[in-house]
Structures are given as C-alpha cells and as structure tokens.
Amino acid sequence: YYLRRYMATSKSKKAKKSTEKPKNTNTKPEVTVVEEIVTVTEPEAIVIEETEVKMEENKKSKGIFSSFFAKKGDPEENILTIFKTPKIWGALVGELIGTMFITMLLLTLGIYQPLYILFGVIGVTLAVFTLSGAHLNPAITAGMMATRRVSAIRGVLYMVAQVVGAWLGLVIVNAFRMAGGTKVDLPALTAVETSNLWQLLTIEFLGVFTLAFFFNRAQEYKSRRSAFTYAAIIGGGMVLAVLFAIVVSSNFFKISNNFILNPAVAIMYQIFPTSAENFGTLISKVGLEVLVFILAPIVAGVLAFFIGDIATTLAGEDECCEKHHHCKDGHCHEK
C-alpha cells in the first residue's frame, strides 16, 4: 500500500514540473506600453481670439470696403413684412408731425434766424428721435436708403409722410395768417430762371450736402443712445448749412430767399403754387424748380452719406459698432 502511494506521488510531482515554464533569468521583463489620448479643450478666450483673427484676415483679404454696401438696417424688412407690426405707423406719424413743425418753423421765423432754427431743430429731433430717427427731409431719407440704412419701402413711406407733413404745416400757417385779418405775406423764394440757375443749384446742393453729412456723422451717436448729442449734431449741421447759404447768397451772388434745403417743403411751398401764362411756360418753370429744389438736394444727400461712410470705414469706427452692437429695426443695440 505504502509503495503504491509513494510511486503515485512521485509521478504527480514529475508531471507538475513538466507543465511549469522554466524561468529565464537572462531575459528582461516585458514592458506594456499604453498610449493615452489626452483631449485638450482650449479656453473660450483663445477660441474667440482666433475667430476674431480669422475674421480680420478675411476682412483684409476682401478689402476694407467689403461691408460698405452691406445692409445696415433690418435685413428682414420688406414690403411684405413691414406692416406686420404697428411700429411703422408710429414712425410715419413721427415723420409727419416732425416735418410739419419744421415747415412751420421755416415759414414763420424764416431761414434768416439761425439761433431759432438751432433750438427748433434740436427740439423737434428729440421729440421724434425714438419714433423714426427724425429724418424730416426727403434728401436725408434718400441718403439713408442709398447707404442701405433703411429699406426701400420704409424710405418711400417716410418721404410720403414728410410731404404730407409739409403740406399740413403750410395749411396751418396759412390758416393763422388768414384768421388774423392781416395782409402779411409769406416770404417768396426767388424765381428760378436760366440766368440764375447755377447759383441756386450751388447753394441748394452745398447746403443739403452739409446737413446730410452732419446727419451721417450723428448716426454714430445714435447707436450709443445719446439722444441729445444726436440732435445737437443735426441742429448744428442745419445752422451751419443755413449760415453758409446766407453768406454766399448775399455776399457773392447778391440774391436772397433763394434756398429752402428741404424738398418736402419746396414741393408744397414753391412747386405746387407755380403759375404761368401757358402750359409750356408752366412746364419749363416747374422743371427748373424740380431740378433746383428736389433733384439737386437728393443727389447732395446721397453723396454726403457715401462720403461720410467712406470716412467712417477708413477711420475704422464701424469695427467698434460691429463688435459691440447689432442692428435691429434700424437701431443699434448692445450684443
């Protein structure tokens, strides 16, 4: 029994030794290399900085005037969407009432009272500033349309409201004049003739150009919601334009009452009352008046806005507004 047990134990030990791997002391231990993938998240500030650098590089590659003709007003505003909210009606009422007050100011105090014009324009501008931006002049609206600050449909509606407002102002002033029983006549503008055409064109053009340029520069303060600064710049431009027109007209051209600087007022005050002996003469007179008091101011307003935008782009002032403001409903708001 004991012999059989000893032999069985010896066989099991030999089998166990044969299954074990021999130890190799000369070989080095295996090293397992684990690749660790580390995901690094860049800070938000670095991402923003890289984005701005890319935008700046794209802007330089396209040129500094790449956004010159970009739409600066509400991109979604058109003839189908403008009447979906009542805001447009408030803007039109502001343009109508404001132009009415401006017309009454010009027809009562006259254009030869620059100090009264300054305070009057500032007051009216402050009153309608938040309603429509206080264009109050078709030449200004034309410049805003040309530089894509307002949509075409809004600009046309503004011009219609301005003409109606000028008509209401003229009606009110005439009503007071007739009710008073006096024979005081309103100041009449110098008749436009071929002999004085270029003088009248020059005065009207340069006067409206001055006003429109000041209005363009005031838009930079409109985005900062500084209403008084905005109105003061426009009022100062109006006074400078009037003073310039008065001095040049009286001292160099020896004429007076030859400018009005507002096509809406000119339509109601100068063009509609035009009369002549025959139809041919009437058409000729109206054509000259339209050239001087409507076409020349509108061209001057558009040109002044383009020059103002070019100066703004070259000075880099629009970059600040692009980074910190966005446009909505014709106004700039902080992002």
Side-chain angles (χ1 to χ4, degrees):
Y1 170 79
Y2 289 106
L3 181 60
R4 289 196 301 266
R5 185 176 180 182
Y6 173 76
M7 293 177 67
T9 304
S10 300
K11 289 180 179 180
S12 64
K13 287 183 178 179
K14 290 180 180 179
K16 185 176 180 181
K17 288 181 179 180
S18 63
T19 56
E20 290 181 357
K21 295 180 178 180
K23 295 183 180 179
N24 188 2
T25 56
N26 297 328
T27 58
K28 295 182 179 179
E30 296 181 358
V31 179
T32 304
V33 179
V34 179
E35 293 184 0
E36 183 178 359
I37 301 175
V38 180
T39 304
V40 180
T41 304
E42 295 183 351
E44 184 178 357
I46 298 177
V47 176
I48 294 175
E49 184 178 356
E50 289 182 354
T51 304
E52 290 182 354
V53 170
K54 291 180 180 178
M55 291 175 63
E56 188 67 24
E57 291 177 354
N58 292 335
K59 188 173 182 181
K60 288 181 179 179
S61 63
K62 294 179 181 179
I64 60 175
F65 296 105
S66 58
S67 61
F68 184 73
F69 293 101
K71 192 169 186 178
K72 305 173 183 65
D74 187 356
E76 299 179 356
E77 184 175 270
N78 53 56
I79 194 172
L80 300 177
T81 61
I82 192 171
F83 295 107
K84 289 186 177 180
T85 62
K87 293 182 179 180
I88 183 61
W89 300 111
L92 294 179
V93 170
E95 286 297 308
L96 189 148
I97 299 297
T99 309
M100 181 189 74
F101 284 131
I102 292 294
T103 304
M104 295 171 62
L105 173 68
L106 295 177
L107 296 182
T108 53
L109 297 177
I111 58 178
Y112 287 91
Q113 303 292 338
L115 186 60
Y116 295 152
I117 290 176
L118 174 63
F119 291 119
V121 171
I122 290 177
V124 175
T125 302
L126 288 173
V128 301
F129 166 73
T130 56
L131 297 177
S132 64
H135 296 190
L136 312 179
N137 190 323
I140 299 299
T141 303
M144 296 283 282
M145 291 171 61
T147 53
R148 306 190 71 183
R149 285 179 167 84
V150 298
S151 62
I153 180 62
R154 179 179 288 269
V156 171
L157 292 174
Y158 275 20
M159 289 181 179
V160 173
Q162 291 158 3
V163 172
V164 175
W167 174 74
L168 285 178
L170 179 61
V171 168
I172 292 173
V173 172
N174 276 328
F176 282 124
R177 184 171 63 90
M178 295 178 181
T182 60
K183 295 183 179 180
V184 178
D185 294 329
L186 296 176
L189 294 178
T190 302
V192 181
E193 300 175 354
T194 54
S195 59
N196 62 3
L197 178 62
W198 74 270
Q199 292 96 332
L200 302 183
L201 273 174
T202 301
I203 293 299
E204 196 75 18
F205 183 92
L206 294 180
V208 174
F209 181 90
T210 303
L211 176 60
F213 183 81
F214 274 68
F215 198 96
N216 175 277
R217 297 303 305 137
Q219 301 307 302
E220 301 300 322
Y221 296 88
K222 180 179 179 181
S223 62
R224 298 177 178 88
R225 288 292 180 183
S226 180
F228 185 79
T229 304
Y230 178 80
I233 293 175
I234 295 174
M238 182 69 180
V239 171
L240 181 62
V242 169
L243 288 174
F244 173 78
I246 291 173
V247 172
V248 173
S249 298
S250 59
N251 291 352
F252 300 127
F253 297 155
K254 305 301 180 182
I255 52 179
S256 60
N257 294 333
N258 62 308
F259 63 92
I260 201 163
L261 308 182
N262 192 317
V265 181
I267 289 173
M268 290 299 164
Y269 183 62
Q270 180 70 10
I271 297 177
F272 274 1
T274 303
S275 60
E277 298 177 355
N278 54 67
F279 183 75
T281 305
L282 178 64
I283 293 298
S284 178
K285 292 177 66 175
V286 170
L288 293 176
E289 290 171 350
V290 168
L291 177 62
V292 172
F293 298 114
I294 297 181
L295 295 182
I298 288 178
V299 173
V302 171
L303 183 61
F305 265 85
F306 275 126
I307 292 178
D309 281 356
I310 291 173
T312 301
T313 303
L314 293 175
E317 292 183 7
D318 56 341
E319 296 178 1
C320 179
C321 185
E322 289 177 1
K323 291 180 180 179
H324 302 290
H325 298 82
H326 73 281
C327 294
K328 182 180 180 181
D329 298 331
H331 301 281
C332 283
H333 306 274
E334 290 188 359
K335 290 185 178 178

